[in-house]
Amino acid sequence: MVDPLAVALGLLRADAPGDDVLQSPEGWPRWSVLLPHVLTVTAHVPDDGGEDLALAQDCSYLLDRAATFLQAHGRYVEATPLLERALVIAEAVHGPDHPDVAVGLNNLALVLQDLGDPAAARPLLERALAIIEAVDGPDHPDVATGLNNLATVLQDLRDAAAARPLAERALAIDEAVYGADHPAVAIRLNNLGAVLWDLGDAAAARPLVERALAIDEAVYGPDHPVVGTGLNNLARVLRDLGEATAARPLAERALAITEAVYGPDHPVVAIRLSNLGAVLWDLGDVTTARPLLERALAIDGAVHGPGSKGSGLPDPRQ
């Protein structure tokens, strides 16, 4: 007898746009349509996934991807219980040391980081990294991803010195696997540049973020959100090097790309507003900077609640 729940989950998984939800805005309109159906259907699956392995795997996958869609739109609070449930099902199906569990740990940690709780994210990422290294060995690109993510959390915990060797190792792994001009390498360059920026070495960070931006523009074209991130990072580095005039058009372009992709009220837009405001402030244009900074604070207050630290400290990694 055909299980209608299994059929529904299978159809939803088949219809869901690709795995890279965060960096694939072309799939977001379809996810907007699928999201309520995913939430309704997955609600009928037992918390342990039930006895049907394929059904449980489809449910965990859909919960994880739906949560990532919510994360992409700054809806972190809504994403968290979906990721927690996806992780519980993955552990029930596979046990505690499976690569799918590592993926679930990683994705939950990143949302906790987005919510401003890097201390809660850290042990999840450390556990995920241990699983992947045990399964794939020390030089696998998934290990590079784990190292990279743990490094960003250590930065958020104000331990850039501990983050640096992880970011350097992540870059070395991906360059060995993919070559010099792969978008994964651009991510590692950006994040190592951010670590060096945190350590006060903007001069060393500059060639890394310039190289990352060149890779991303070649791969994605001029208007992709990843390019917005690269422009933002380079603008921040130039500002710290005393080149606010050169930083301004980059920060303006980063804001324009991000608003076009995410809309006016997304938390990443707040970061762009804050960084452009800081550049304008350095240029002595306080009148123009002030409404940008006020708007950034308003967005952060809506996302994180009143009194959040918000975008007052611009994050070069975003």
Side-chain angles (χ1 to χ4, degrees), residues 116-209:
D117 195 356
R122 179 176 182 171
L124 304 185
L125 290 173
E126 289 172 336
R127 184 180 158 206
L129 179 59
I131 292 170
I132 295 301
E133 285 194 291
V135 171
D136 294 321
D139 301 317
H140 193 277
D142 287 347
V143 172
T145 299
L147 290 163
N148 175 84
N149 293 342
L150 181 55
T152 68
V153 162
L154 290 173
Q155 282 180 270
D156 285 353
L157 291 169
R158 302 294 185 258
D159 195 356
R164 180 173 183 169
L166 305 186
E168 289 173 335
R169 186 179 157 207
L171 174 59
I173 291 171
D174 275 351
E175 285 189 306
V177 172
Y178 297 118
D181 299 319
H182 193 276
V185 172
I187 294 171
R188 308 299 174 244
L189 289 164
N190 261 324
N191 290 338
L192 178 55
V195 170
L196 295 172
W197 183 80
D198 277 351
L199 290 169
D201 195 351
R206 179 175 184 168
L208 302 184
V209 297

Side-chain angles (χ1 to χ4, degrees), residues 2 6-7 17 56 72 116 118 160 165-167 238 245 247 251 267 281 317:
V2 176
V7 171
L166 305 186
L238 291 173
T245 300
W281 190 284
R317 291 172 285 116

